[in-house]
Amino acid sequence: MRKKNEFYIYTSMWMIAVIILLVLLVQNLGDARVVNYSGIVRGATQKLVKEEISGYPDDKLIDRLDGIIANLQAGDGEFNLRRNGDKDYQDQLARLKELWEEMKREIQLVRLGEVSVNNLYELSQIHFKEADEMVLLAEQSSVRKLLKSIGIYTATLLLSIAAFTIVNRRNRRMLEKSIHTDNLTGILNRDGFKAEAASLLRRYPDNRYCLIEFDIDDFKFLNTSYGYEQGDRLLCALADCIQSKYNGDQLCARISSDDFVILVKQSPELVDELRNLLADTLYVEFLNISEFITFTIGAYEIPEDCGNIQSVMDKANMAHKNAKAEGKSISLWYDEMLLDKLNWENHLTKRMRKALGNGEFKMYLQPKYSLDDLKIRNAEALVRWDIPDEGTVCPDQFIPLFERNGSIAEIDFYILEKACAYIRKYLDIFETEFHISVNFSRVTIYQQRCYSTILEITDRFQIPHNCIEIEITESAFNGISELIVQKIRNLQKEGFMISMDDFGSGYSSLNLLNKLPIQVLKLDQEFLREYGTEGKAKNVISCVTELAHTLDMKVVCEGVEKQEHVDFLKKIGCDYGQGYFFSKPIPEEEFLAKLEQSARELAN
Ligand code: C2E
Ligand code: CA
Ligand code: CA
C-alpha cells in the first residue's frame, strides 16, 4: 500500500517537473517572438522611411507596423505576440509608439509635399536608436525570465530529488531494520548483531568487551512438554530481560532458536550476573513451568586486536559448543586450549573411518563380579582406540565427539560385533555361555536401524540373545519417546538384557524405573566415590538396591575400588560389583586368561 502511494507521489512530482519544463519552453518561444518582432519594428521602420524618401509610399507596411506595435502593447492580435510585462520594455515601447505616431504625421506631410524629408530622416534616426534600445530591453527581460524559470525549475527538481532521497533512505532504514530484527522477540537477529557489534567495537575502542553465547538446556524438551507457545513466551521474556540490561554501549541478540548472544563490558562477575538475571526472569515469568530451567554459557574475552566480528563470534560459539558437550548448566571461557582440543577432535573425526577399517578400535573387557562368591559373572565391553604412533585414546575423548557427529553408532555396532565374536569363541571353546554388556549411546538407540542391526549382528554370530546386555545411560531415557520405549521392550522380548547405566548421575526420576523395561540397574561410580565423605551415600546405595530388587532388577555397583566397598555392597545385598578393585578394563586376550583362572577357581 505504502509502495503504491509512493509511486503516485513520485509520478506526480516528475509530471510537475515535466509540465514546468514545457511551460518554460512555450514561454521562451513567446519571448523569442517578442524580441524578433521588436527587431522587425526597428528594421521595417527604416525600410519604410527609405521608401517614403525615394517616393514610394507603402501604406501596407504602415498598417503592418501599427498592428505589430499594438500587438506588442496589448499582447493580443493578429501576430500572436504575447505581451511582455517588463515595465522598462513597455515604457520604451510607449515612447517608440509616440515617435512612430509623429513619424506617421511627418510622412503624410512629406507625401503632400508640405515639408522636406529632412525632418522625417532625423526622426527615423531617433526611432532606430529607440527601437534598438527596445530590442535590447526585450532581450534582457527574456534572459531574466529564462534565468528565473530555470531557477524555479532547478529548485523543483532539487526539491523532488531531496524528497526522493529522504523517502528512499527512510525505506532503506526500515528494510534494514526488518532484516536485522528477530521476528519473534523484536531484538536483533544474527545479521543485525554482526553489523551493530562491529560498529560498536569501532565506536568504543577503549571499552573492553566479552562476547557471551548462551542457550536454554533441553529447550526442545520444554517445547514439546509445555507447547511451542509457552516456549515462545520463554524466549520473549529472556529477550526482554537481556535487552533491558544490555543496551547503550552493550548489545544482545537472538541468533537462532534458543541461542542468544550478548556483547557485554568485561567484569569479573559477568557470568554470575547473567545467570542471576536469567534465573530471576524465569522465577517471575514462568512459575507454571515446573521444570528447573538451566542455561549453558560460552564466553570469549575480546582482545584489543580482535579481528573481524565473525571470528569473535566463532570463538564464543566454540566455547558454547564445548560447554554444551560437557553437560548442562556449564559456563566455559574460550582459550587457546579449546582450539587445541578442537584441532585434536578434527584430527580424530578425519581418522575415524580409516581407523575402523584398520582395526584400530579395540574391545577391552572389564569383569563384573558376583558379590556372593566374588567370581567373574560377566563383563562390560569398553572401547579403546589404539592410534599407531600416537598411543591409546580413551573413550571420553572421542565418544562425546562421535555422539555429536552421529558416527558413534558405527563404533557401538563394531564393539557389539567384537563382543559377539568373543562370546562365539568362548562358546566354541568352553561350550558354555558368557555374557557381555555393550554400551549403546543415546544416538545409536534413536537410530531407525538400531534394532534390526542388533538382531542381524547377534544372529550372524549365532549368539543366544540373553548373552548380550544392552547398557543405556540414564540420561538417554530423559524425554524418551513411547516409540523408542516400545522398541527397547521388543529387544527385551527378543531375549536381550537391558540395563540402565550410570543410574543416579543425572536427574533420574524413580518413576522411570517403573515404566521402562529394565532388568539391570548400574549404580553410578559417584556413589562409591562419595562413600567415604558423604554419610548419605551409603543409605542411598542401600535404598536404591532395595528398590531395584522390589522391581525385580539386578544391581551392579560401579567404581568398586576398595575391600571396604566390597564388604559394604555384600552386606546390603548388591548383586554385582565392577571396578578397579577387581580389575581394570583389559584387552580381550588378557581377559580370557583371567576368565580361565576364575573358572578353575570356581571348579575347585
Ligand atoms: P561407563 O559405561 O560408565 O564405563 C565405566 C567406566 O568407568 C570405564 O571408563 C571404566 O574404565 C571406568 N571404571 C571402571 N571401574 C572403575 C573404577 O573402579 N574407578 C574408576 N575411576 N573408573 C572405573 P572408560 O572405559 O574410560 O569409559 C568411559 C565411558 O565411555 C563409559 O562409561 C561409557 O559411557 C563410554 N563408552 C565406553 N565404551 C563405549 C562404547 O563402546 N560405546 C559407547 N557408546 N560408549 C562407550
Ligand atoms: Ca557402561
Ligand atoms: Ca557406568
Side-chain angles (χ1 to χ4, degrees), residues 23 39 52 111 133 203 207 228 245 255 282 360 419 496:
V23 169
E52 291 292 341
R111 279 190 192 168
E133 179 68 20
R203 260 185 295 144
N207 284 359
Y228 282 83
K245 163 106 180 159
I255 54 170
L282 295 180
E360 290 176 20
F496 295 99

Side-chain angles (χ1 to χ4, degrees), residues 366 380 383-384 395-396 412 439 501-502 525 561 580 585:
Q366 186 178 33
E380 175 176 6
V383 66
R384 296 287 179 273
D396 288 343
D412 287 349
N439 290 285
D501 200 0
D502 300 338
Q525 332 190 343
E561 291 184 347
Y580 293 172

Side-chain angles (χ1 to χ4, degrees), residues 169-208:
R169 248 189 225 154
R170 195 200 60 193
N171 284 351
R172 226 185 20 236
R173 263 205 306 274
M174 273 162 59
L175 187 74
E176 239 165 48
K177 201 170 168 221
S178 76
I179 290 175
H180 285 169
T181 305
D182 172 42
N183 281 344
L184 175 70
T185 61
I187 64 172
L188 290 174
N189 60 15
R190 182 188 291 275
D191 286 343
F193 181 81
K194 268 162 86 171
E196 301 250 328
S199 103
L200 200 81
L201 291 174
R202 263 198 313 274
R203 260 185 295 144
Y204 299 100
D206 296 333
N207 284 359
R208 292 276 46 88

Side-chain angles (χ1 to χ4, degrees), residues 59 146 193 202 211 350 418:
D59 284 336
L146 188 70
F193 181 81
R202 263 198 313 274
L211 184 62
K350 279 193 201 133
K418 288 262 175 193

Side-chain angles (χ1 to χ4, degrees), residues 366 380-384 394-396 399 403 408 411-412 415 438-441 444 471 473 501-502 522 524-525 529 558-561 578-581 583 585:
Q366 186 178 33
E380 175 176 6
L382 293 156
V383 66
R384 296 287 179 273
C394 278
D396 288 343
I399 300 269
E403 281 185 332
I408 184 66
I411 308 263
D412 287 349
I415 295 296
V438 181
N439 290 285
F440 274 83
S441 153
T444 313
E471 289 194 16
T473 45
D501 200 0
D502 300 338
K522 292 191 78 183
D524 193 56
Q525 332 190 343
R529 211 164 285 145
E558 292 187 283
V560 179
E561 291 184 347
Q578 179 185 351
Y580 293 172
F581 176 78
S583 165

